[in-house]
Amino acid sequence: MLTPLKFQPLFKYRIWGGNKLKTVLNKDYDSESIGESWEISDVPNDETVVVDGSLKGYTLKQLIKEFKGEFLGESVYKQFGEAFPLLIKFIDAKTPLSIQVHPNNEYAKAHHNSFGKNEMWYIMQADQDANIIVGFEKEIDKTQFKQHLEDKSVLDVMHHENVKKGDAFYIPTGRIHAIGAGVMLAEIQQTSDVTYRVYDYDRVDKTTGKTRELHTEQATEVLDFNVESSYKTDYQKELNTSNKLIHSPYFKSNFLPIKGEVKKDYSNVDSFVIYMCVSGQAVIQYQQKDYAINIGETILLPASVNDVMLKSDDAQILEVYF
């Protein structure tokens, strides 16, 4: 029964959301200010469901309960049980996101009974001069940081980096960050919805008429004040090859550009595999059946799906697994 699976995305209103998920990625919704498309989610009360085939209507939790390691991979099932470890999104920021930070596994478990939130970004489109905030520009300590918050000069100590299509960034827990205006990206993260807002431009949410809550005390407890020489991930882009992108203890991701045919054998990968199409379109062939994937779409291969053929005139795929 287990074949490549597509899920129905969940569309999330965000104060900073735009319309690129509809106009660029062809998402089908009628709401305004949609900032996130949750492609594959096991977040409580936000579980995505299979859209077609014999398993139509199944949530991730139901798939794991029924198929266990056959779906997740035996090692993943042994580690996580019936919890799916990743949350997969596309994000469109019309205006900047709040300056924020995420806690690690231990802190999130103690305070929220949740996983921590290590994540990565792959830039799919960026307006001219669009940037992101990632990390600090110079060394500061907690006392200096709190002073910058009080006098609203915190943006002055952040590292701003202009971005373009194809740029990739790893955002480990503790690293301060924000997606800037005009950026659309693919996000891969641990299954967690825990975010500590540090600064939100004093803006008012039109749906509530209020400013959004800040979490400066929690943020200060989990912040990593180290300054890195570079925050961007360098990677190869060899055609028809799984080029190592970001490999962490929490997920692995590769950049897979396709022209022609690529045969993939996952018999040595004890994990589900997720494809996110970030450019073009492709066809996945499995057991003499075709599964189409277009830009802005996501497909999950259960762990028991080992041999697939990918075909495309010109596509770029993010290949994600545990």
Side-chain angles (χ1 to χ4, degrees), residues 163-197:
V163 292
K164 64 184 185 304
K165 178 182 177 181
D167 287 347
F169 298 85
Y170 182 50
I171 315 292
T173 56
R175 181 167 294 171
I176 203 157
H177 62 278
I179 303 169
V183 177
M184 183 179 70
L185 55 79
E187 181 175 271
I188 299 155
Q189 61 161 91
Q190 290 177 274
T191 295
S192 169
D193 202 27
V194 179
T195 294
Y196 297 149
R197 291 191 202 97

Side-chain angles (χ1 to χ4, degrees), residues 2-7 40 70-73 84 264-266 269 271-275 284-286 291 293 298-310 319-321:
L2 286 177
T3 61
L5 299 170
K6 274 188 181 179
F7 293 80
I40 299 179
E70 189 182 352
F71 176 76
L72 280 183
F84 193 76
K264 298 296 296 183
D265 178 0
Y266 294 111
V269 177
S271 167
F272 59 89
V273 176
I274 293 168
Y275 291 149
I284 302 160
Q285 290 186 336
Y286 176 68
Y291 301 84
I293 183 171
T298 305
I299 284 183
L300 183 148
L301 310 183
S304 60
V305 175
N306 286 327
D307 295 297
V308 297
M309 177 75 78
L310 297 168
E319 179 184 43
V320 185
Y321 51 98

Side-chain angles (χ1 to χ4, degrees), residues 57 113 137 162 186 203-205 282 316:
N113 194 29
E137 185 65 28
N162 283 10
R203 56 188 165 187
V204 174
D205 189 332
Q316 295 175 346

Side-chain angles (χ1 to χ4, degrees), residues 186-322:
E187 181 175 271
I188 299 155
Q189 61 161 91
Q190 290 177 274
T191 295
S192 169
D193 202 27
V194 179
T195 294
Y196 297 149
R197 291 191 202 97
V198 172
Y199 180 68
D200 198 32
Y201 307 92
D202 298 321
R203 56 188 165 187
V204 174
D205 189 332
K206 64 186 179 184
T207 64
T208 65
K210 301 177 182 178
T211 57
R212 297 194 296 171
E213 182 183 3
L214 300 180
H215 316 91
T216 52
E217 287 303 315
Q218 299 102 314
T220 305
E221 287 187 22
V222 303
L223 269 171
D224 178 359
F225 289 98
N226 290 324
V227 175
E228 302 293 335
S229 58
S230 174
Y231 291 97
K232 187 163 68 173
T233 298
D234 292 323
Y235 63 99
Q236 301 298 313
K237 299 180 181 180
E238 186 179 342
L239 203 59
N240 297 336
T241 298
S242 292
N243 300 276
K244 179 181 177 181
L245 189 53
I246 291 166
H247 286 198
S248 79
Y250 311 100
F251 54 79
K252 297 179 176 66
S253 63
N254 299 321
F255 178 72
L256 176 56
I258 304 166
K259 278 192 178 179
E261 298 183 351
V262 179
K263 190 179 189 316
K264 298 296 296 183
D265 178 0
Y266 294 111
S267 55
N268 291 324
V269 177
D270 188 15
S271 167
F272 59 89
V273 176
I274 293 168
Y275 291 149
M276 302 182 78
C277 186
V278 293
S279 180
Q281 56 190 37
V283 170
I284 302 160
Q285 290 186 336
Y286 176 68
Q287 293 187 344
Q288 301 177 325
K289 186 174 179 181
D290 289 351
Y291 301 84
I293 183 171
N294 301 307
I295 183 172
E297 291 186 333
T298 305
I299 284 183
L300 183 148
L301 310 183
S304 60
V305 175
N306 286 327
D307 295 297
V308 297
M309 177 75 78
L310 297 168
K311 295 184 176 183
S312 177
D313 293 333
D314 188 7
Q316 295 175 346
I317 304 287
L318 299 185
E319 179 184 43
V320 185
Y321 51 98
F322 203 83

Side-chain angles (χ1 to χ4, degrees), residues 13 32 36 49 66-67 78 173 235 244 249 255:
Y13 164 83
E32 296 296 318
E36 301 187 3
V49 302
E66 184 156 336
F67 298 103
K78 184 176 180 181
T173 56
Y235 63 99
K244 179 181 177 181
F255 178 72

